[in-house]
Amino acid sequence: GDNVEEVEKIITAVRVRPVSDSEHASNCQVVMVPDPKEPGMCIIDPVFFSAANKDSSNRKAYEREFRCDYFFWSANKLHDVEFATQQKVFESCAKPLVGHCIAGFNCAILAYGQTGSGKTHTMMGYQSNEEGAGVIPRLCKSLIEDVTTLMTDKQHKISIEVSYYEIYNEKVHDLMSTSPEIPCRVREHPDSGAYVEGLTRVEVKTYTDVSVVLRKGDKHRAVAATLLNSTSSRSHAVFTVHLNQTLFDASDDGNVPTTSAASGVQRQSKVCLVDLAGSERASASGVSGDRLTEANNINKSLSTLGDVIQALSKVGSHLHSVPRQNSGGSHFHVPYRNSVLTWLLKDSIGGNSKTVMLATVSPTDHAFNESISTLRYVERAKLISTHATVNDTTSDAHTITMLQKQVASLQKQLSDKEQNGGETSDDTNKLEEQLLNKQQI
Ligand code: ADP
Ligand code: MG
C-alpha cells in the first residue's frame, strides 16, 4: 500500500539533576551552565576552579559547548532559565509521541547516563504524588485519555497492552511473569524482526491498570536483582506500550462490518521506553568470574549501542548529500545483532521509528568525565536520520474489500438498467467499462 514515510532526525535531550547531598557534603563545584538563549549548555573543565586560574574573564577558555534539541535544567531555580519539572520534560519531548503512536509510528525514548544521574527519576519517577510521576506513567495516562476519546466515534477499535522486561547479562527477564528470574528466549520473525518469546502482555484500560503493572514490574525488578545478585544500575529496563487499532472506513457509518475485520485497516504501533544501564564503564579490573562476565556484557550492550549510533550517524550524514532513492544504507553495516539490547530495539533506533535520546547528567565536577562522554554520545545521536513509516499491515486487504464493494454496486446498477428496458444506452456502456476496469485490478 502507500504507507506514509517521514524522514527525520533522532531527537536529543539533556537533563541536569540537582546537586545530591553527598556531592554537597564533598565540596563539589557546579560545572554545568545552561545557555538561556538556545537549547544547550556549557560544561566547564574543573581545572578552571583551581585557584590560579579562577578568573571569570578567562572562563571561556575552559568551557565546552553542547547543543541538543531540548535542554532541561532541573538543578536549581535560576532567574533566567526555566526550571524543568517532570511535567515539563514529559510535555516537551514525550507527549508528541502519543500522537505519533496513534498515527501508526513506532516511537522510543532511551534514557542514557551514568548511574545516579537521574534516568529512573526521569523515566519512572515516584508514584507517591502526581507531580513526581515520570515519563512512563504520564505517557500511559495521556495515551489512555486520547484513545478513550477516539473510541467514542465508532470508527476506531483500539486496545492498549503493555510489557515490561529487563536485559541483564545479555539475558531477557520478563518483569510481568511469575518467575522473572528465568531468562526468556529471543527469536527472530522474518517480517517483524526480533522478539522475546512468551513475553507477558497486559491489557490496560485505565490508569489504575497501569499503576498495578508498574508496581509489580518494579517489585519483580528488585526480586530478580536479588536472585541474580545484580543491581538495577547494571540492567536495561524496557517498558513497551503496544497499540492495536482497527480503523473502519467513514463510509461504513461506523458499523462493524459483517464480512470480516479485513475491511478495517489494522494498525499496530508501539512506544518503547528504555531505562538503560549506567553508562559508566563497568570496570573489569579487580573482578573475576560472574562479575567479570557481567562487566563485559554491560560493556557489550552499551558499546554496541554506541557502535550502532556511530554507524547510523554515518548513514545519516550520507543522507544529506544524496537523493533518498540511493540511500538505502545497505552498504553501511549497522551491527544491531551484536547485543540483545540493539537487536530487540532495532526498529526503535534508526529504523522504523521516531526516537528520543534523553541523556541525564550530574551538575558537578565529580562527574565531569562521565558527563563529557554522555554529551558526546548525544552529539553523535543528533546526526542520525530515521525513516518512520506507518504500520498499516492490511491496507492491501482493505483496498481489495473497497474495490469488491464498488464492483458489486456497479453490477447491481447494470442489472437494474437491463431489467428496466434492455436497450444499450451510453450509460450502460460506461458502466460495463467501469466494471471491467475494476475487475482487472
Ligand atoms: P539513575 O537511575 O540514573 O541511576 P536515579 O534516577 O536513581 O539515577 O537518581 C539518583 C538520585 O537522584 C535519586 O535519589 C533521585 O531521586 C535523584 N534525582 C535524580 N534526578 C532528579 C531530579 N531531576 N530532581 C530531583 N531529584 C533527582
Ligand atoms: Mg536507575
Side-chain angles (χ1 to χ4, degrees):
D2 329 301
N3 281 359
V4 183
E5 175 164 321
E6 289 183 21
V7 179
E8 58 183 273
K9 320 274 295 176
I10 281 200
I11 296 155
T12 55
V14 176
R15 187 183 200 188
V16 185
R17 68 152 167 76
V19 175
S20 70
D21 289 346
S22 69
E23 283 170 329
H24 263 306
S26 62
N27 269 328
C28 65
Q29 296 285 352
V30 170
V31 296
M32 299 294 296
V33 185
D35 184 335
K37 294 180 297 292
E38 293 180 76
M41 78 236 76
C42 289
I43 181 164
I44 307 162
D45 190 320
V47 171
F48 168 74
F49 295 99
S50 62
N53 293 314
K54 205 170 171 179
D55 172 357
S56 58
S57 64
N58 68 3
R59 201 184 82 185
K60 271 264 167 277
Y62 294 88
E63 282 179 2
R64 167 92 156 80
E65 224 176 79
F66 285 94
R67 295 277 159 240
C68 49
D69 298 304
Y70 296 98
F71 179 69
F72 300 117
W73 180 256
S74 305
N76 54 16
K77 309 242 155 115
L78 298 173
H79 75 276
D80 56 348
V81 179
E82 186 183 0
F83 180 84
T85 58
Q86 297 282 68
Q87 170 68 10
K88 170 77 187 171
V89 173
F90 168 70
E91 287 282 340
S92 315
C93 66
K95 188 144 195 279
L97 301 187
V98 171
H100 287 323
C101 186
I102 291 173
F105 296 99
N106 285 348
C107 306
I109 304 179
L110 308 175
Y112 183 92
Q114 82 179 115
T115 298
S117 60
K119 295 180 298 296
T120 305
H121 179 86
T122 299
M123 295 304 279
M124 204 57 87
Y126 43 92
Q127 307 283 311
S128 49
N129 72 41
E130 214 178 300
E131 259 170 47
V135 162
I136 291 175
R138 283 173 197 271
L139 186 134
C140 290
K141 190 162 187 244
S142 174
L143 189 63
I144 288 172
E145 280 166 11
D146 285 7
V147 161
T148 309
T149 309
L150 273 175
M151 296 257 273
T152 55
D153 74 14
K154 294 181 182 143
Q155 275 135 38
H156 291 77
K157 195 168 152 281
I158 314 177
S159 68
I160 306 173
E161 290 174 314
V162 298
S163 62
Y164 196 13
Y165 64 84
E166 160 174 91
I167 303 171
Y168 167 70
N169 226 350
E170 291 298 280
K171 300 232 163 57
V172 175
H173 299 273
D174 183 354
L175 294 175
M176 298 312 296
S177 93
T178 44
S179 40
E181 72 283 3
I182 299 170
C184 303
R185 276 181 67 188
V186 177
R187 306 194 60 183
E188 176 117 23
H189 186 276
D191 300 324
S192 51
Y195 65 97
V196 180
E197 192 173 55
L199 183 68
T200 311
R201 281 196 190 193
V202 181
E203 181 165 11
V204 293
K205 290 195 159 113
T206 64
Y207 184 66
T208 312
D209 297 343
V210 176
S211 305
V212 171
V213 170
L214 294 181
R215 236 172 311 168
K216 183 172 171 185
D218 285 340
K219 203 173 96 199
H220 282 183
R221 204 177 177 196
V223 169
T226 309
L227 289 170
L228 299 165
N229 190 22
S230 75
T231 75
S232 68
S233 71
R234 303 190 162 272
S235 69
H236 314 281
V238 183
F239 185 90
T240 311
V241 188
H242 307 263
L243 203 61
N244 311 305
Q245 307 184 68
T246 310
L247 313 172
F248 299 108
D249 198 279
S251 64
D252 289 347
D253 276 340
N255 291 326
V256 176
T258 45
T259 43
S260 73
S263 52
V265 176
Q266 300 290 319
R267 176 176 286 177
Q268 293 191 328
S269 47
K270 62 183 174 179
V271 189
C272 291
L273 301 150
V274 188
D275 184 348
L276 292 167
S279 59
E280 65 278 0
R281 292 285 137 227
S283 168
S285 62
V287 293
S288 57
D290 289 351
R291 275 283 170 266
L292 181 62
T293 312
E294 184 197 74
N296 287 337
N297 278 339
I298 292 159
N299 285 343
K300 185 170 157 195
S301 262
L302 275 180
S303 68
T304 305
L305 182 62
D307 295 344
V308 164
I309 285 174
Q310 184 77 49
L312 286 170
S313 64
K314 285 192 190 127
V315 180
S317 47
H318 186 64
L319 279 178
H320 302 304
S321 55
V322 295
R324 168 80 186 97
Q325 302 90 279
N326 303 333
S327 61
S330 50
H331 41 287
F332 290 97
H333 176 63
V334 182
Y336 289 110
R337 294 193 61 144
N338 287 2
S339 77
V340 172
L341 175 77
T342 50
W343 191 23
L344 283 172
L345 293 184
K346 183 178 175 197
D347 60 359
S348 306
I349 33 175
N352 175 23
S353 183
K354 303 215 179 211
T355 311
V356 179
M357 175 70 81
L358 206 172
T360 53
V361 288
S362 150
T364 71
D365 54 344
H366 295 295
F368 178 75
N369 289 330
E370 285 302 338
S371 299
I372 286 274
S373 98
T374 297
L375 294 169
R376 288 210 177 108
Y377 210 89
V378 170
E379 276 190 330
R380 270 204 309 259
K382 244 171 99 81
L383 298 172
I384 303 180
S385 290
T386 61
H387 303 280
T389 51
V390 172
N391 302 310
D392 287 354
T393 47
T394 57
S395 44
D396 285 348
H398 182 64
T399 310
I400 289 166
T401 311
M402 295 302 288
L403 288 172
Q404 281 168 345
K405 276 187 192 169
Q406 286 178 29
V407 166
S409 135
L410 287 170
Q411 268 168 343
K412 186 169 182 304
Q413 282 181 48
L414 200 56
S415 77
D416 286 354
K417 271 237 175 322
E418 277 164 1
Q419 274 165 21
N420 296 343
E423 89 274 22
T424 314
S425 68
D426 268 8
D427 271 5
T428 317
N429 283 338
K430 249 185 237 154
L431 281 172
E432 273 181 328
E433 206 177 292
Q434 279 185 41
L435 182 56
L436 270 172
N437 282 340
K438 297 280 181 210
Q439 280 171 334
Q440 274 160 13
I441 297 175

PDB file of all heavy atoms in Angstrom, residues 15-18 20 74-75 83-84 86 113-122 126 232-233 275-276 278 360, ligand 1:
ATOM      1  N   ARG A  15      19.106  16.406  30.470  1.00  0.00           N
ATOM      2  CA  ARG A  15      18.540  16.907  31.721  1.00  0.00           C
ATOM      3  C   ARG A  15      19.612  16.916  32.806  1.00  0.00           C
ATOM      4  O   ARG A  15      20.316  15.909  33.002  1.00  0.00           O
ATOM      5  CB  ARG A  15      17.382  16.022  32.163  1.00  0.00           C
ATOM      6  CG  ARG A  15      16.644  16.599  33.372  1.00  0.00           C
ATOM      7  CD  ARG A  15      15.538  15.702  33.855  1.00  0.00           C
ATOM      8  NE  ARG A  15      14.580  16.469  34.659  1.00  0.00           N
ATOM      9  CZ  ARG A  15      13.588  15.935  35.338  1.00  0.00           C
ATOM     10  NH1 ARG A  15      13.391  14.626  35.320  1.00  0.00           N
ATOM     11  NH2 ARG A  15      12.768  16.695  36.039  1.00  0.00           N
ATOM     12  N   VAL A  16      19.705  18.031  33.514  1.00  0.00           N
ATOM     13  CA  VAL A  16      20.672  18.157  34.614  1.00  0.00           C
ATOM     14  C   VAL A  16      19.923  18.071  35.938  1.00  0.00           C
ATOM     15  O   VAL A  16      18.990  18.830  36.178  1.00  0.00           O
ATOM     16  CB  VAL A  16      21.415  19.511  34.535  1.00  0.00           C
ATOM     17  CG1 VAL A  16      22.509  19.576  35.604  1.00  0.00           C
ATOM     18  CG2 VAL A  16      22.022  19.727  33.153  1.00  0.00           C
ATOM     19  N   ARG A  17      20.299  17.126  36.770  1.00  0.00           N
ATOM     20  CA  ARG A  17      19.610  16.933  38.060  1.00  0.00           C
ATOM     21  C   ARG A  17      20.198  17.868  39.122  1.00  0.00           C
ATOM     22  O   ARG A  17      21.237  18.480  38.910  1.00  0.00           O
ATOM     23  CB  ARG A  17      19.728  15.467  38.499  1.00  0.00           C
ATOM     24  CG  ARG A  17      21.128  15.014  38.879  1.00  0.00           C
ATOM     25  CD  ARG A  17      21.089  13.882  39.894  1.00  0.00           C
ATOM     26  NE  ARG A  17      22.362  13.204  40.062  1.00  0.00           N
ATOM     27  CZ  ARG A  17      23.392  13.681  40.737  1.00  0.00           C
ATOM     28  NH1 ARG A  17      23.359  14.893  41.257  1.00  0.00           N
ATOM     29  NH2 ARG A  17      24.498  12.968  40.865  1.00  0.00           N
ATOM     30  N   PRO A  18      19.542  17.964  40.306  1.00  0.00           N
ATOM     31  CA  PRO A  18      20.104  18.780  41.388  1.00  0.00           C
ATOM     32  C   PRO A  18      21.392  18.171  41.953  1.00  0.00           C
ATOM     33  O   PRO A  18      21.647  16.982  41.772  1.00  0.00           O
ATOM     34  CB  PRO A  18      19.007  18.761  42.464  1.00  0.00           C
ATOM     35  CG  PRO A  18      17.793  18.195  41.829  1.00  0.00           C
ATOM     36  CD  PRO A  18      18.244  17.365  40.681  1.00  0.00           C
ATOM     37  N   SER A  20      23.445  16.439  44.609  1.00  0.00           N
ATOM     38  CA  SER A  20      22.965  15.496  45.633  1.00  0.00           C
ATOM     39  C   SER A  20      23.569  15.839  46.992  1.00  0.00           C
ATOM     40  O   SER A  20      24.546  16.597  47.076  1.00  0.00           O
ATOM     41  CB  SER A  20      23.358  14.071  45.249  1.00  0.00           C
ATOM     42  OG  SER A  20      24.759  13.919  45.372  1.00  0.00           O
ATOM     43  N   SER A  74      17.205  21.054  35.702  1.00  0.00           N
ATOM     44  CA  SER A  74      16.464  20.697  36.914  1.00  0.00           C
ATOM     45  C   SER A  74      17.364  20.776  38.135  1.00  0.00           C
ATOM     46  O   SER A  74      17.095  20.174  39.173  1.00  0.00           O
ATOM     47  CB  SER A  74      15.886  19.281  36.790  1.00  0.00           C
ATOM     48  OG  SER A  74      15.101  19.163  35.630  1.00  0.00           O
ATOM     49  N   ALA A  75      18.488  21.512  38.028  1.00  0.00           N
ATOM     50  CA  ALA A  75      19.466  21.543  39.119  1.00  0.00           C
ATOM     51  C   ALA A  75      19.028  22.470  40.246  1.00  0.00           C
ATOM     52  O   ALA A  75      19.074  22.098  41.413  1.00  0.00           O
ATOM     53  CB  ALA A  75      20.829  21.965  38.573  1.00  0.00           C
ATOM     54  N   PHE A  83      12.965  26.281  35.065  1.00  0.00           N
ATOM     55  CA  PHE A  83      13.231  25.051  35.808  1.00  0.00           C
ATOM     56  C   PHE A  83      12.397  23.928  35.200  1.00  0.00           C
ATOM     57  O   PHE A  83      11.196  24.085  34.980  1.00  0.00           O
ATOM     58  CB  PHE A  83      12.868  25.259  37.291  1.00  0.00           C
ATOM     59  CG  PHE A  83      13.118  24.037  38.126  1.00  0.00           C
ATOM     60  CD1 PHE A  83      14.384  23.777  38.624  1.00  0.00           C
ATOM     61  CD2 PHE A  83      12.088  23.145  38.405  1.00  0.00           C
ATOM     62  CE1 PHE A  83      14.623  22.641  39.394  1.00  0.00           C
ATOM     63  CE2 PHE A  83      12.326  21.998  39.173  1.00  0.00           C
ATOM     64  CZ  PHE A  83      13.600  21.754  39.660  1.00  0.00           C
ATOM     65  N   ALA A  84      13.048  22.794  34.901  1.00  0.00           N
ATOM     66  CA  ALA A  84      12.327  21.705  34.237  1.00  0.00           C
ATOM     67  C   ALA A  84      11.740  20.725  35.247  1.00  0.00           C
ATOM     68  O   ALA A  84      12.457  19.965  35.899  1.00  0.00           O
ATOM     69  CB  ALA A  84      13.254  20.976  33.267  1.00  0.00           C
ATOM     70  N   GLN A  86       9.007  17.485  36.162  1.00  0.00           N
ATOM     71  CA  GLN A  86       8.672  16.220  35.492  1.00  0.00           C
ATOM     72  C   GLN A  86       7.646  16.484  34.389  1.00  0.00           C
ATOM     73  O   GLN A  86       7.733  15.923  33.287  1.00  0.00           O
ATOM     74  CB  GLN A  86       8.078  15.227  36.504  1.00  0.00           C
ATOM     75  CG  GLN A  86       9.005  14.804  37.627  1.00  0.00           C
ATOM     76  CD  GLN A  86      10.018  13.761  37.200  1.00  0.00           C
ATOM     77  OE1 GLN A  86      10.918  14.040  36.414  1.00  0.00           O
ATOM     78  NE2 GLN A  86       9.891  12.548  37.723  1.00  0.00           N
ATOM     79  N   GLY A 113      22.771   7.637  30.619  1.00  0.00           N
ATOM     80  CA  GLY A 113      23.578   8.443  31.542  1.00  0.00           C
ATOM     81  C   GLY A 113      24.207   7.571  32.610  1.00  0.00           C
ATOM     82  O   GLY A 113      23.843   6.403  32.776  1.00  0.00           O
ATOM     83  N   GLN A 114      25.139   8.152  33.365  1.00  0.00           N
ATOM     84  CA  GLN A 114      25.828   7.356  34.380  1.00  0.00           C
ATOM     85  C   GLN A 114      24.882   7.056  35.550  1.00  0.00           C
ATOM     86  O   GLN A 114      23.853   7.736  35.720  1.00  0.00           O
ATOM     87  CB  GLN A 114      27.095   8.060  34.865  1.00  0.00           C
ATOM     88  CG  GLN A 114      26.857   9.118  35.908  1.00  0.00           C
ATOM     89  CD  GLN A 114      28.149   9.774  36.371  1.00  0.00           C
ATOM     90  OE1 GLN A 114      28.364  10.957  36.148  1.00  0.00           O
ATOM     91  NE2 GLN A 114      29.004   9.002  37.038  1.00  0.00           N
ATOM     92  N   THR A 115      25.205   6.041  36.316  1.00  0.00           N
ATOM     93  CA  THR A 115      24.395   5.677  37.478  1.00  0.00           C
ATOM     94  C   THR A 115      24.302   6.868  38.428  1.00  0.00           C
ATOM     95  O   THR A 115      25.295   7.542  38.686  1.00  0.00           O
ATOM     96  CB  THR A 115      25.051   4.471  38.201  1.00  0.00           C
ATOM     97  OG1 THR A 115      25.061   3.373  37.291  1.00  0.00           O
ATOM     98  CG2 THR A 115      24.266   4.075  39.445  1.00  0.00           C
ATOM     99  N   GLY A 116      23.076   7.149  38.876  1.00  0.00           N
ATOM    100  CA  GLY A 116      22.868   8.258  39.806  1.00  0.00           C
ATOM    101  C   GLY A 116      22.621   9.592  39.124  1.00  0.00           C
ATOM    102  O   GLY A 116      22.462  10.610  39.795  1.00  0.00           O
ATOM    103  N   SER A 117      22.547   9.609  37.792  1.00  0.00           N
ATOM    104  CA  SER A 117      22.372  10.896  37.097  1.00  0.00           C
ATOM    105  C   SER A 117      20.900  11.273  36.916  1.00  0.00           C
ATOM    106  O   SER A 117      20.592  12.392  36.524  1.00  0.00           O
ATOM    107  CB  SER A 117      23.094  10.871  35.740  1.00  0.00           C
ATOM    108  OG  SER A 117      22.572   9.841  34.919  1.00  0.00           O
ATOM    109  N   GLY A 118      19.972  10.316  37.166  1.00  0.00           N
ATOM    110  CA  GLY A 118      18.546  10.660  37.109  1.00  0.00           C
ATOM    111  C   GLY A 118      17.742   9.970  36.017  1.00  0.00           C
ATOM    112  O   GLY A 118      16.648  10.416  35.679  1.00  0.00           O
ATOM    113  N   LYS A 119      18.224   8.847  35.489  1.00  0.00           N
ATOM    114  CA  LYS A 119      17.482   8.119  34.437  1.00  0.00           C
ATOM    115  C   LYS A 119      16.153   7.594  34.965  1.00  0.00           C
ATOM    116  O   LYS A 119      15.099   7.820  34.382  1.00  0.00           O
ATOM    117  CB  LYS A 119      18.310   6.925  33.899  1.00  0.00           C
ATOM    118  CG  LYS A 119      19.569   7.304  33.173  1.00  0.00           C
ATOM    119  CD  LYS A 119      20.316   6.082  32.674  1.00  0.00           C
ATOM    120  CE  LYS A 119      20.777   5.149  33.795  1.00  0.00           C
ATOM    121  NZ  LYS A 119      21.769   5.756  34.698  1.00  0.00           N
ATOM    122  N   THR A 120      16.214   6.867  36.089  1.00  0.00           N
ATOM    123  CA  THR A 120      14.996   6.256  36.635  1.00  0.00           C
ATOM    124  C   THR A 120      14.039   7.337  37.147  1.00  0.00           C
ATOM    125  O   THR A 120      12.831   7.245  36.960  1.00  0.00           O
ATOM    126  CB  THR A 120      15.361   5.253  37.752  1.00  0.00           C
ATOM    127  OG1 THR A 120      16.303   4.314  37.209  1.00  0.00           O
ATOM    128  CG2 THR A 120      14.139   4.508  38.252  1.00  0.00           C
ATOM    129  N   HIS A 121      14.602   8.380  37.740  1.00  0.00           N
ATOM    130  CA  HIS A 121      13.769   9.501  38.201  1.00  0.00           C
ATOM    131  C   HIS A 121      12.997  10.096  37.008  1.00  0.00           C
ATOM    132  O   HIS A 121      11.803  10.368  37.108  1.00  0.00           O
ATOM    133  CB  HIS A 121      14.647  10.569  38.850  1.00  0.00           C
ATOM    134  CG  HIS A 121      13.879  11.774  39.324  1.00  0.00           C
ATOM    135  ND1 HIS A 121      13.283  11.830  40.560  1.00  0.00           N
ATOM    136  CD2 HIS A 121      13.584  12.936  38.696  1.00  0.00           C
ATOM    137  CE1 HIS A 121      12.663  12.990  40.682  1.00  0.00           C
ATOM    138  NE2 HIS A 121      12.824  13.683  39.564  1.00  0.00           N
ATOM    139  N   THR A 122      13.686  10.268  35.884  1.00  0.00           N
ATOM    140  CA  THR A 122      13.055  10.872  34.711  1.00  0.00           C
ATOM    141  C   THR A 122      12.047   9.920  34.067  1.00  0.00           C
ATOM    142  O   THR A 122      10.938  10.326  33.730  1.00  0.00           O
ATOM    143  CB  THR A 122      14.129  11.301  33.687  1.00  0.00           C
ATOM    144  OG1 THR A 122      14.977  12.263  34.309  1.00  0.00           O
ATOM    145  CG2 THR A 122      13.513  11.896  32.441  1.00  0.00           C
ATOM    146  N   TYR A 126       8.509   8.927  40.911  1.00  0.00           N
ATOM    147  CA  TYR A 126       7.917   8.223  42.049  1.00  0.00           C
ATOM    148  C   TYR A 126       6.406   8.345  41.971  1.00  0.00           C
ATOM    149  O   TYR A 126       5.850   9.305  41.445  1.00  0.00           O
ATOM    150  CB  TYR A 126       8.476   8.730  43.379  1.00  0.00           C
ATOM    151  CG  TYR A 126       8.614  10.221  43.495  1.00  0.00           C
ATOM    152  CD1 TYR A 126       7.593  10.995  44.023  1.00  0.00           C
ATOM    153  CD2 TYR A 126       9.783  10.865  43.072  1.00  0.00           C
ATOM    154  CE1 TYR A 126       7.725  12.365  44.128  1.00  0.00           C
ATOM    155  CE2 TYR A 126       9.916  12.243  43.168  1.00  0.00           C
ATOM    156  CZ  TYR A 126       8.872  12.989  43.694  1.00  0.00           C
ATOM    157  OH  TYR A 126       9.000  14.341  43.785  1.00  0.00           O
ATOM    158  N   SER A 232      20.056  -2.727  39.792  1.00  0.00           N
ATOM    159  CA  SER A 232      19.328  -2.205  38.639  1.00  0.00           C
ATOM    160  C   SER A 232      20.227  -1.335  37.760  1.00  0.00           C
ATOM    161  O   SER A 232      19.968  -1.161  36.582  1.00  0.00           O
ATOM    162  CB  SER A 232      18.119  -1.397  39.099  1.00  0.00           C
ATOM    163  OG  SER A 232      18.555  -0.224  39.743  1.00  0.00           O
ATOM    164  N   SER A 233      21.319  -0.825  38.336  1.00  0.00           N
ATOM    165  CA  SER A 233      22.182   0.038  37.522  1.00  0.00           C
ATOM    166  C   SER A 233      22.896  -0.754  36.422  1.00  0.00           C
ATOM    167  O   SER A 233      23.448  -0.187  35.502  1.00  0.00           O
ATOM    168  CB  SER A 233      23.210   0.738  38.407  1.00  0.00           C
ATOM    169  OG  SER A 233      24.166  -0.193  38.858  1.00  0.00           O
ATOM    170  N   ASP A 275      15.060   2.485  30.136  1.00  0.00           N
ATOM    171  CA  ASP A 275      15.933   2.999  31.198  1.00  0.00           C
ATOM    172  C   ASP A 275      17.222   2.170  31.092  1.00  0.00           C
ATOM    173  O   ASP A 275      17.290   1.033  31.541  1.00  0.00           O
ATOM    174  CB  ASP A 275      15.213   2.782  32.551  1.00  0.00           C
ATOM    175  CG  ASP A 275      15.972   3.356  33.737  1.00  0.00           C
ATOM    176  OD1 ASP A 275      17.152   3.729  33.589  1.00  0.00           O
ATOM    177  OD2 ASP A 275      15.362   3.415  34.819  1.00  0.00           O
ATOM    178  N   LEU A 276      18.219   2.746  30.424  1.00  0.00           N
ATOM    179  CA  LEU A 276      19.443   1.993  30.130  1.00  0.00           C
ATOM    180  C   LEU A 276      20.301   1.781  31.372  1.00  0.00           C
ATOM    181  O   LEU A 276      20.203   2.538  32.351  1.00  0.00           O
ATOM    182  CB  LEU A 276      20.270   2.733  29.074  1.00  0.00           C
ATOM    183  CG  LEU A 276      19.683   2.800  27.661  1.00  0.00           C
ATOM    184  CD1 LEU A 276      20.429   3.828  26.810  1.00  0.00           C
ATOM    185  CD2 LEU A 276      19.717   1.431  26.991  1.00  0.00           C
ATOM    186  N   GLY A 278      23.650   1.962  33.647  1.00  0.00           N
ATOM    187  CA  GLY A 278      24.577   3.074  33.845  1.00  0.00           C
ATOM    188  C   GLY A 278      25.658   3.093  32.768  1.00  0.00           C
ATOM    189  O   GLY A 278      26.224   2.051  32.445  1.00  0.00           O
ATOM    190  N   THR A 360      20.904  12.049  30.861  1.00  0.00           N
ATOM    191  CA  THR A 360      20.856  12.686  32.172  1.00  0.00           C
ATOM    192  C   THR A 360      22.283  12.854  32.702  1.00  0.00           C
ATOM    193  O   THR A 360      23.127  11.985  32.502  1.00  0.00           O
ATOM    194  CB  THR A 360      20.035  11.834  33.169  1.00  0.00           C
ATOM    195  OG1 THR A 360      20.554  10.498  33.165  1.00  0.00           O
ATOM    196  CG2 THR A 360      18.562  11.792  32.788  1.00  0.00           C
TER     197      THR A 360
HETATM  198  P1  ADP B   1      19.867   6.592  37.800  1.00  0.00           P
HETATM  199  O1  ADP B   1      18.603   5.867  37.509  1.00  0.00           O
HETATM  200  O2  ADP B   1      20.424   7.329  36.612  1.00  0.00           O
HETATM  201  O3  ADP B   1      20.883   5.731  38.443  1.00  0.00           O
HETATM  202  P2  ADP B   1      18.241   7.969  39.727  1.00  0.00           P
HETATM  203  O4  ADP B   1      17.084   8.344  38.891  1.00  0.00           O
HETATM  204  O5  ADP B   1      18.061   6.813  40.641  1.00  0.00           O
HETATM  205  O6  ADP B   1      19.548   7.767  38.854  1.00  0.00           O
HETATM  206  O7  ADP B   1      18.675   9.279  40.529  1.00  0.00           O
HETATM  207  C1  ADP B   1      19.619   9.266  41.591  1.00  0.00           C
HETATM  208  C2  ADP B   1      19.109  10.138  42.732  1.00  0.00           C
HETATM  209  O8  ADP B   1      18.943  11.500  42.325  1.00  0.00           O
HETATM  210  C3  ADP B   1      17.755   9.686  43.236  1.00  0.00           C
HETATM  211  O9  ADP B   1      17.699   9.858  44.625  1.00  0.00           O
HETATM  212  C4  ADP B   1      16.790  10.646  42.578  1.00  0.00           C
HETATM  213  O10 ADP B   1      15.614  10.818  43.310  1.00  0.00           O
HETATM  214  C5  ADP B   1      17.599  11.920  42.483  1.00  0.00           C
HETATM  215  N1  ADP B   1      17.233  12.686  41.276  1.00  0.00           N
HETATM  216  C6  ADP B   1      17.586  12.397  40.023  1.00  0.00           C
HETATM  217  N2  ADP B   1      17.108  13.299  39.151  1.00  0.00           N
HETATM  218  C7  ADP B   1      16.411  14.185  39.879  1.00  0.00           C
HETATM  219  C8  ADP B   1      15.673  15.381  39.577  1.00  0.00           C
HETATM  220  N3  ADP B   1      15.526  15.813  38.307  1.00  0.00           N
HETATM  221  N4  ADP B   1      15.098  16.055  40.602  1.00  0.00           N
HETATM  222  C9  ADP B   1      15.229  15.626  41.871  1.00  0.00           C
HETATM  223  N5  ADP B   1      15.919  14.516  42.226  1.00  0.00           N
HETATM  224  C10 ADP B   1      16.503  13.801  41.263  1.00  0.00           C
END
